Amino acid sequence: MRIAVASKSGTEVDQHFGHAEKFHIYEIGESCASPAKISEVPVVKFCSADPDHVFSHSRMAGILAALDGCALMVTAQIGDYPRQELEKAGIRHVSASGPIEEAICSALHAGNHCHCRSSGCSS
């Protein structure tokens, strides 16, 4: 399973979906205790500096294209419209914070998608 993470630091889930200029893509194998980072995909950030910005279908389409193959998105926060668009595309969203690997494992457990039977998994 592929998982996209919004992270400015590259180590923590610390970014709002709309502010991300790239997403870190992880692959989960048999154990959610050890997700493997496989790439970073650049995107045009969804939010503009305008607090009253309107939903941009073209920016969202570009983000969805970059996330092709992902089944889960982990971000610090997300707005309703982008979350709904992710869901329409078959990408489940989970809000989280903290170290990326722990957030991924917690997100998988919350959705009953974790296959691990490993004692190394924190959830």
Side-chain angles (χ1 to χ4, degrees):
M1 170 191 290
R2 287 200 174 171
I3 299 163
V5 178
S7 175
K8 191 169 188 167
S9 67
T11 59
E12 304 275 323
V13 178
D14 57 7
Q15 197 161 41
H16 188 290
F17 175 86
H19 298 173
E21 294 179 345
K22 66 181 172 184
F23 291 101
H24 302 262
I25 308 299
Y26 287 79
E27 183 78 37
I28 286 292
E30 292 299 313
S31 171
C32 70
S34 56
K37 183 174 178 181
I38 57 172
S39 67
E40 290 180 14
V41 293
V43 297
V44 174
K45 71 180 180 176
F46 182 72
C47 289
S48 66
D50 178 3
D52 297 321
H53 75 90
V54 296
F55 183 79
S56 172
H57 292 283
S58 64
R59 281 188 293 229
M60 191 69 204
I63 291 170
L64 290 174
L67 299 177
D68 186 43
C70 291
L72 177 65
M73 164 67 69
V74 182
T75 68
Q77 293 180 325
I78 191 169
D80 288 335
Y81 290 123
R83 183 186 43 76
Q84 291 168 4
E85 292 299 308
L86 286 173
E87 288 175 4
K88 286 180 192 175
I91 303 171
R92 186 171 67 89
H93 174 265
V94 174
S95 292
S97 62
I100 289 174
E101 289 81 6
E102 290 176 22
I104 288 173
C105 190
S106 293
L108 292 170
H109 277 278
N112 295 318
H113 296 288
C114 183
H115 318 294
C116 79
R117 303 285 180 251
S118 163
S119 61
C121 187
S122 61
S123 295

